[in-house]
Amino acid sequence: MKPESQTPGPTGEPASGDSGQSKSGHQRSKIQRIWAYRHLWIVGVLVFAADQITKQMIADRLPFGSYGTFAQIEVIPGFFNLVHVGNTGAAWSMFTGQSLWLAVLAIVTLGAMFWWRHTLGLQYRAAQPAFGLLVGGVVGNIVDRLAHGHVIDFLDFHFGGYVFPTFNVADSGICVGVFWYILWSLRQPAEPAAAK
């Protein structure tokens, strides 16, 4: 694990995480340690709320299984439609029918992110929004799997003859969060080699 006192990278100061001590060496309260990750929590809550609100709006407007001509809402003809379908698998419908196991795997993944938060760099403010996007998206899809037995997908894009897999706000948050974190990781200076 990366120690809290390590030299900060070029993308910002550490948020002082939950090491239990402030820069002055005083014991930090639990609230202060949680607040150190505020950028993660704020982005995560916003993504989760946007995901659940948009899914509810679709569920209120379109019956489940609405897809194709006369069933969908055409936003941009031939390019973008709003639909209401379910995915019991992962991205691109992989592992179809394994919704419960995928929910369990997602919960374990969130636990692993918390356990290895220092190794992953969550103490850095610049990395926290990436994990906020990930956490908000993952939790949004977990709620769907537990409440409905599938993830609600409704964003349907067509590129000529190619139909992009239908997705939702949570999926977008996860993809953008992963991309953000990869970019952030690539910008970090290499750690000095251990003394031999």
Side-chain angles (χ1 to χ4, degrees), residues 11-12 43 53 97 118 141:
T11 55
V43 173
I53 290 169
H118 294 293
N141 282 342

Side-chain angles (χ1 to χ4, degrees), residues 16-189:
S16 297
D18 57 353
S19 63
Q21 290 192 350
S22 65
K23 291 178 182 177
S24 62
H26 296 297
Q27 189 70 20
R28 295 165 60 86
S29 71
K30 193 169 192 176
I31 297 297
Q32 288 174 314
R33 286 180 281 162
I34 292 171
W35 184 244
Y37 293 98
R38 62 189 172 278
H39 298 94
L40 186 157
W41 302 126
I42 291 168
V43 173
V45 168
L46 289 174
V47 170
F48 175 76
D51 177 64
Q52 293 298 299
I53 290 169
T54 52
K55 285 172 178 172
Q56 189 58 55
M57 289 171 65
I58 288 296
D60 291 343
R61 291 285 304 275
L62 292 170
F64 180 70
S66 297
Y67 190 93
T69 309
F70 306 118
Q72 63 198 14
I73 298 174
E74 195 174 53
V75 180
I76 302 175
F79 175 64
F80 174 44
N81 306 306
L82 294 175
V83 298
H84 183 185
V85 296
N87 181 7
T88 59
W92 285 276
S93 295
M94 293 185 296
F95 309 112
T96 298
Q98 303 299 318
S99 197
L100 179 59
W101 287 112
L102 288 169
V104 171
L105 177 61
I107 292 169
V108 170
T109 300
L110 290 175
M113 284 170 50
F114 173 77
W115 185 260
W116 284 296
R117 60 194 177 278
H118 294 293
T119 302
L120 293 170
L122 265 69
Q123 68 270 32
Y124 290 102
R125 291 187 183 94
Q128 288 182 18
F131 282 93
L133 289 162
L134 275 165
V135 170
V138 168
V139 173
N141 282 342
I142 288 173
V143 168
D144 279 17
R145 293 187 192 283
L146 297 179
H148 311 294
H150 61 260
V151 172
I152 295 174
D153 287 332
F154 60 91
L155 299 170
D156 179 46
F157 287 90
H158 297 249
F159 301 90
Y162 175 71
V163 180
F164 192 81
T166 310
F167 62 102
N168 56 44
V169 173
D171 297 333
S172 301
I174 293 168
C175 291
V176 174
V178 169
F179 184 67
W180 182 327
Y181 181 69
I182 290 171
L183 287 181
W184 178 82
S185 297
L186 292 174
R187 293 184 61 196
Q188 301 314 297

